[in-house]
Amino acid sequence: MAKKVEPSKQSSRKSAGNSSRGLKTTLFGPSSKLVVGGLTLLLSVLLLFAFFSYLISGEADQSVVGSAFNAPLHDSGSKVQNWLGVTGAVIAHFFIFRWFGIGAFLLLPLLFVTGVKLTFAREIMPLKRLTYQVLFYMFWLSSLFGFLVMWTDSKANLSTLSGGIGLFINQFLYNLVGWGSIAIIAAALFVFVIYFYRVDSLEHVAEKVEGMKVPRPSIGNPLKNLFRELEEEEEPEPEKPAPPVKTETPKPAKRVVPVIIEEDLPEEEEEEILPEETDQELEEVSRLTEDARQVLARPVPRPVEPAYEPVVFEMPVVPAKPSRTAAKAEPDFIIETAPPEETRKPDPELDPEDRLQALGLYDPTLDLARYQFPSIDLLKEYPADKAQVTEEELKSKKDTIVRTLSDYGISIASIKATPGPTVTLYEIVPSAGVKISRIKSLEDDIALSLAALGIRIIAPMPGKGTIGIEVPNKNREMVSIRTVISSDKFQKSGAELPVVLGKTISNEIFVTDLAKMPHLLIAGATGQGKSVGMNVILASLLYKKHPAQLKFVLVDPKKVELSLFSKIERHFLAKLPGTDDAIITDTKKVIYTLNSLCVEMDSRYELLKNGGCRNLKEYNQKFVERRLNPEKGHRFLPYIVLVIDELADLMMTAGKEVETPIARLAQLARAIGIHLIVATQRPSVDIITGKIKANFPARLSFRVTQKVDSRTILDTSGADQLVGQGDMLFLQGSDMTRLQCAFVDTPEVDAICDYIGEQQGYPDAYLLPEFEGDEAGNEEKDVDLGQLDPMFKDAARLIVIHQQGSTSLIQRKMKLGYNRAGRIMDQLEATGIVGPFEGSKAREVLVQSEERLDEIFRELRL
């Protein structure tokens, strides 16, 4: 008979069991694994820092580590250079110096994989196999490097690689077999690879070691299974299709051919059709439905066309208006046989397509169909011999750079030279521990030692781990415009407005797109190649664009730089209506032209809005495809390039009247195809203001005289170190490129313009919209002399006394607002007291004395 256990004892045993299970769950549960895994991952990262820093500062920390157990930790920790302090230095010292050497790094992946497995419950690789491999390779690498230490007899330098264990193993083996110890080490690796990776032949050693023994997913078996399943699906099942064939109820018919029944016999039409016609049609539909079921029951896989073709063509047509369901279902069955005209109704949205099929694409060049692009033969061909940089010059300058840097205690790991047409780029890799700022500060010293006109140091070079030193060549190579224009890179360029500037320091032709810049700011001192660079830009555009696709607005305050392009007025130039000369030289006409471009910009944006386009390229593409109606004001819009040769003169004479429209065009005109090229000799902050500079991300700088000018135009120094004669820096976004500008001579530009000007052109230049501003000089028509301002006499006397026709003077002295002071100034001009508007200058005072002013008052009966 079994013993009975008392309830108190049973409860105590249960509680003891529960407590033991709870402790086990706490110690070995998921939370504990997560904690241990996270700590293991953290330990692997900390050991990585400790080991890596030991390679750098291990020798310096060795004395501190040796005394770490005798001195307080906080004292010794302040003296070590290890990234993890004295603890990291001690651990790294034991693992690397005392035990395994460089092989101790293999512990890190083992800890990392273990931490990932415990934390994320994912096994990157088999942990057991990885443990065996790590343990073997740690001892094997330590032994291998220990043999190298003994062979080179330099324990002080290579003891970190082998560790104490490696030295001990090799000392033991050397005493036994001498130099045969290396054979034992190699044999150990061979045996381990054979047995651990289960290699059965030498041909598969590489595959086994790399872990390629893992079975790859097979493609053949799934394909066979797939084909087998398809064959089973295609096999006819006689028992399943039999019931639908025998059943004559309308429900299965609707399930088999639902569109046919709803197409020809909708419920709405049954009430309109006579009873005898309805019965007859229902009998025929049931017969056709039965035929359709028999066709669908055949073992042929998915007989789409044979099954539905009899139903479609033998179905009787009900003489009634088809329902909506029939209209939707009809294309599913007769779309292949019915012509498109019967299935689609005429849509007004398809009219542009019909017009495109009838007329074809619109070609804007047909107005000048016989226009021929300029020939390459118009450009001068210079001798082909190049001013190559000799090997002696390269070697001499390399040695000079290395010697100069070594004089200042800077060592170089390597140096490489890349010769260019104007400068040679020397790329140096400094030794470890050398600060870049030290090399940058030696710019003038290196230039002095090289006897160079000026060098430029790029520290560091973008995208490279080097420091660049650009040194001018003794013999410079001229880059002719014929070379760059005839290159495949320019001729095959797909840019909207391709511009070729010259060659880089690596002799590569540099081609960019003006439409993507979208505006270009050019600066450079007198005689440094600024005008030649502008001629190169204009010439490259003339070689790629048709007159119907591009127009220039040329502003030349100097009156001589752009005068050669007057010959192509009826082809490429744009001007204001009523003006004789298309090249603008007068300051007042410049103001009108800039404001006229703003009007053109607003009108183009209105066209883009009505056409549903975001930029000029999309709009012109729609117009070429005849999807925009010319009767609604749409037209093909050419690109417009505004070229200002000297901005400083305009800013001095016109000021705000010029700055405001230029800034507005730079801000908004990109999308509608108006692009600006603005040049100036003096890139100071009062000329290139914040409004203008912010909207010109692309900037081109020739040599300038001061560093402050370089910072103004490029936001960095370097333009003051250029060597002139076309040497320039091109900045687009954050990428700066040094280029040698192509050279185009005045006779070459003249020949190009003559070639274009002699061809048939438009009747006149491209006319910009008219602009009638407050400065047009016709305000006297709107001034009513019978209703002069009450302050008119006081303002007139103030102007005559000070002999200064300024609106701001009236504002300050008489404490009036700008609008009222402006109206008084208009009245003064209408009465002949002051002269017309002259830009930012004060108006001329025509009355010299108060006596003459009193006579004017009497004439006006004031």
Side-chain angles (χ1 to χ4, degrees):
M1 189 174 179
K3 297 181 179 180
K4 294 185 178 179
V5 183
E6 298 180 0
S8 59
K9 293 183 179 182
Q10 292 181 357
S11 61
S12 61
R13 291 179 182 177
K14 290 182 179 178
S15 61
N18 293 334
S19 62
S20 63
R21 284 194 298 268
L23 180 62
K24 184 176 180 181
T25 304
T26 304
L27 293 178
F28 303 100
S31 301
S32 300
K33 290 184 179 179
L34 184 62
V35 171
V36 174
L39 293 178
T40 307
L41 288 175
L42 179 61
L43 178 62
S44 65
V45 176
L46 294 178
L47 288 180
L48 175 63
F49 286 110
F51 289 175
F52 185 77
S53 58
Y54 181 81
L55 299 179
I56 301 174
S57 60
E59 296 182 3
D61 295 343
Q62 217 165 12
S63 60
V64 180
V65 172
S67 60
F69 298 98
N70 300 325
L73 290 179
H74 59 84
D75 293 338
S76 59
S78 61
K79 300 176 183 178
V80 298
Q81 300 180 11
N82 195 284
W83 295 345
L84 293 187
V86 64
T87 304
V90 170
I91 295 175
H93 175 77
F94 275 95
F95 273 94
I96 297 179
F97 186 78
R98 292 283 185 89
W99 295 340
F100 303 107
I102 203 70
F105 278 88
L106 294 176
L107 284 174
L108 303 180
L110 178 60
L111 292 175
F112 182 79
V113 171
T114 305
V116 170
K117 182 177 181 180
L118 294 176
T119 305
F120 303 102
R122 292 184 58 187
E123 195 172 44
I124 301 177
M125 56 183 66
L127 187 59
K128 187 176 180 180
R129 290 177 59 85
L130 180 63
T131 305
Y132 291 153
Q133 293 180 76
V134 167
L135 291 177
F136 172 79
Y137 287 120
M138 281 174 56
F139 283 95
W140 187 82
L141 287 176
S142 180
S143 303
L144 177 64
F145 286 119
F147 175 81
L148 296 178
V149 171
M150 296 186 62
W151 181 68
T152 56
D153 196 17
S154 56
K155 299 181 181 180
N157 297 330
L158 299 177
S159 58
T160 303
L161 298 177
S162 62
I165 294 178
L167 291 175
F168 174 77
I169 293 175
N170 276 273
Q171 188 68 36
F172 177 77
L173 293 176
Y174 185 77
N175 293 334
L176 290 179
V177 294
W179 291 104
S181 57
I182 186 63
I184 297 178
I185 295 174
L189 177 64
F190 180 76
V191 173
F192 179 79
V193 169
I194 294 296
Y195 283 98
F196 186 80
Y197 296 102
R198 299 179 182 178
V199 179
D200 51 3
S201 64
L202 294 179
E203 297 178 355
H204 301 145
V205 172
E207 297 182 1
K208 301 294 183 180
V209 172
E210 293 176 1
M212 300 178 66
K213 191 178 178 181
V214 180
R216 300 178 182 177
S218 176
I219 300 178
N221 294 336
L223 288 178
K224 292 179 180 179
N225 297 334
L226 178 61
F227 289 139
R228 188 180 297 113
E229 292 175 2
L230 291 177
E231 291 175 359
E232 291 175 0
E233 290 179 0
E234 292 177 359
E235 291 180 0
E237 299 180 2
E239 296 181 358
K240 294 183 179 179
V245 174
K246 297 179 180 180
T247 307
E248 298 181 358
T249 56
K251 291 184 180 180
K254 291 184 180 179
R255 286 198 301 269
V256 177
V257 196
V259 181
I260 297 176
I261 297 175
E262 293 179 4
E263 175 178 289
D264 294 327
L265 288 177
E267 295 179 359
E268 299 177 357
E269 296 175 357
E270 290 181 357
E271 298 177 358
E272 300 177 1
I273 303 174
L274 296 177
E276 56 270 18
E277 294 177 353
T278 305
D279 295 337
Q280 182 180 0
E281 289 172 0
L282 286 174
E283 292 176 1
E284 191 165 356
V285 168
S286 62
R287 180 180 57 81
L288 293 175
T289 306
E290 186 71 18
D291 297 337
R293 290 197 198 98
Q294 295 177 1
V295 172
L296 291 176
R298 296 176 183 175
V300 181
R302 300 188 66 183
V304 179
E305 294 180 0
Y308 288 115
E309 208 170 358
V311 179
V312 173
F313 290 103
E314 296 181 8
M315 182 71 67
V317 180
V318 181
K321 185 178 180 180
S323 63
R324 296 181 179 178
T325 57
K328 293 181 180 179
E330 184 178 358
D332 293 338
F333 297 94
I334 62 172
I335 189 171
E336 296 181 357
T337 57
E341 290 79 10
E342 299 179 4
T343 58
R344 292 186 299 181
K345 297 181 179 179
D347 192 350
E349 296 181 357
L350 300 179
D351 290 343
E353 298 182 1
D354 298 338
R355 185 164 57 250
L356 176 62
Q357 293 178 358
L359 303 177
L361 295 175
Y362 173 76
D363 188 2
T365 63
L366 290 180
D367 293 339
L368 297 179
R370 298 181 180 179
Y371 176 80
Q372 296 181 359
F373 288 88
S375 173
I376 300 294
D377 298 333
L378 299 174
L379 304 176
K380 186 177 179 181
E381 185 175 2
Y382 291 90
D385 54 338
K386 297 182 180 180
Q388 296 287 349
V389 182
T390 61
E391 293 292 336
E392 292 77 7
E393 181 181 353
L394 291 177
K395 187 176 184 303
S396 174
K397 290 184 177 180
K398 281 183 181 180
D399 297 340
T400 304
I401 292 174
V402 173
R403 184 175 62 254
T404 304
L405 294 176
S406 62
D407 292 341
Y408 291 92
I410 299 175
S411 60
I412 296 176
S414 64
I415 183 170
K416 182 182 70 172
T418 304
T422 305
V423 297
T424 299
L425 175 64
Y426 294 88
E427 297 184 58
I428 63 174
V429 179
S431 301
V434 177
K435 292 185 177 181
I436 296 177
S437 58
R438 293 184 59 193
I439 302 177
K440 183 68 175 176
S441 62
L442 298 176
E443 189 173 40
D444 296 334
D445 300 283
I446 298 174
L448 177 63
S449 61
L450 293 172
L453 179 62
I455 67 170
R456 177 171 170 260
I457 296 181
I458 311 171
M461 295 194 67
K464 299 181 179 180
T466 60
I467 297 175
I469 302 177
E470 296 175 348
V471 182
N473 299 332
K474 292 182 180 179
N475 301 318
R476 301 176 57 181
E477 174 190 348
M478 186 188 68
V479 180
S480 65
I481 190 173
R482 182 188 179 105
T483 305
V484 295
I485 290 291
S486 59
S487 64
D488 291 340
K489 190 172 184 180
F490 177 73
Q491 294 294 334
K492 297 179 181 179
S493 175
E496 291 294 319
L497 295 175
V499 173
V500 58
L501 296 177
K503 288 186 177 181
T504 63
I505 57 177
S506 57
N507 273 315
E508 295 181 0
I509 296 176
F510 188 83
V511 180
T512 184
D513 189 1
L514 179 61
K516 293 182 179 180
M517 289 186 188
H519 312 293
L520 180 61
L521 187 60
I522 304 176
T526 303
Q528 303 303 319
K530 178 167 54 64
S531 299
V532 175
M534 294 184 63
N535 287 338
V536 169
I537 294 174
L538 296 177
S540 59
L541 291 174
L542 292 177
Y543 267 91
K544 290 290 288 185
K545 306 304 290 185
H546 190 273
Q549 301 170 339
L550 176 65
K551 301 297 177 182
F552 293 111
V553 177
L554 303 181
V555 177
D556 184 15
K558 299 179 183 178
K559 302 182 181 181
V560 293
E561 295 293 342
L562 302 176
S563 58
L564 294 175
F565 295 94
S566 61
K567 302 174 184 177
I568 60 174
E569 175 181 343
R570 295 184 299 110
H571 298 81
F572 283 98
L573 299 190
K575 66 178 183 179
L576 289 173
T579 56
D580 298 330
D581 194 359
I583 298 179
I584 308 161
T585 57
D586 187 18
T587 304
K588 187 177 296 185
K589 291 183 179 179
V590 172
I591 299 173
Y592 297 159
T593 303
L594 294 177
N595 286 279
S596 176
L597 283 174
C598 292
V599 176
E600 174 74 11
M601 177 184 67
D602 296 336
S603 65
R604 287 192 173 198
Y605 267 118
E606 192 67 24
L607 290 177
L608 262 66
K609 174 187 172 182
N610 297 333
C613 304
R614 296 182 59 187
N615 52 55
L616 184 73
K617 185 177 180 180
E618 294 179 5
Y619 179 86
N620 283 340
Q621 184 66 27
K622 269 191 173 183
F623 189 84
V624 167
E625 295 174 355
R626 301 187 184 274
R627 290 188 287 167
L628 298 176
N629 192 352
E631 296 179 357
K632 297 182 180 180
H634 294 290
R635 65 185 188 277
F636 185 85
L637 301 178
Y639 285 95
I640 297 178
V641 178
L642 170 63
V643 181
I644 301 178
D645 183 66
E646 185 51 62
L647 180 64
D649 182 73
L650 296 180
M651 295 296 292
M652 291 174 61
T653 57
K656 293 291 183 181
E657 286 77 14
V658 170
E659 179 187 1
T660 301
I662 288 179
R664 189 163 182 262
L665 288 171
Q667 290 170 354
L668 302 175
R670 172 186 180 179
I672 45 86
I674 299 179
H675 303 279
L676 280 65
I677 301 176
V678 180
T680 181
Q681 292 181 0
R682 186 165 58 92
S684 56
V685 292
D686 58 336
I687 303 300
I688 304 177
T689 61
K691 290 182 181 179
I692 295 177
K693 184 178 178 181
N695 297 286
F696 282 80
R699 301 166 197 168
L700 185 64
S701 177
F702 294 87
R703 186 184 181 186
V704 294
T705 56
Q706 299 177 356
K707 284 189 177 181
V708 63
D709 293 339
S710 176
R711 293 185 180 277
T712 303
I713 184 68
L714 297 177
D715 296 328
T716 183
S717 59
D720 55 315
Q721 300 293 338
L722 300 176
V723 296
Q725 297 183 1
D727 190 18
M728 60 185 180
L729 290 173
F730 177 69
L731 175 67
Q732 186 171 12
S734 59
D735 299 332
M736 186 177 296
T737 309
R738 188 166 186 174
L739 305 171
Q740 174 61 39
C741 182
F743 176 74
V744 56
D745 203 359
T746 302
E748 295 176 278
V749 179
D750 201 7
I752 295 173
C753 295
D754 286 339
Y755 182 84
I756 297 175
E758 291 173 357
Q759 301 184 48
Q760 180 184 1
Y762 295 100
D764 198 359
Y766 184 84
L767 297 181
L768 299 174
E770 295 185 2
F771 174 76
E772 294 292 339
D774 297 336
E775 302 85 9
N778 298 325
E779 290 84 3
E780 63 272 9
K781 298 179 181 179
D782 300 332
V783 176
D784 187 3
L785 299 180
Q787 295 181 356
L788 296 177
D789 193 276
M791 304 291 290
F792 174 77
K793 291 181 64 175
D794 297 337
R797 202 171 297 278
L798 178 67
I799 292 295
V800 172
I801 291 174
H802 289 82
Q803 288 294 304
Q804 181 181 354
S806 173
T807 305
S808 59
L809 177 65
I810 300 176
Q811 287 182 262
R812 292 195 313 270
K813 296 296 183 179
M814 305 184 67
K815 298 180 180 180
L816 301 178
Y818 177 79
N819 294 332
R820 187 177 180 184
R823 287 194 298 269
I824 293 177
M825 185 60 68
D826 296 339
Q827 295 172 1
L828 292 173
E829 181 183 356
T831 54
I833 298 176
V834 297
F837 177 80
E838 297 182 3
S840 61
K841 295 181 179 180
R843 295 174 184 253
E844 181 184 1
V845 181
L846 303 178
V847 178
Q848 304 298 326
S849 62
E850 293 189 35
E851 290 78 8
R852 173 57 185 159
L853 181 61
D854 293 335
E855 293 179 3
I856 294 176
F857 289 162
R858 285 193 294 270
E859 293 175 359
L860 296 174
R861 298 180 181 180
L862 296 177

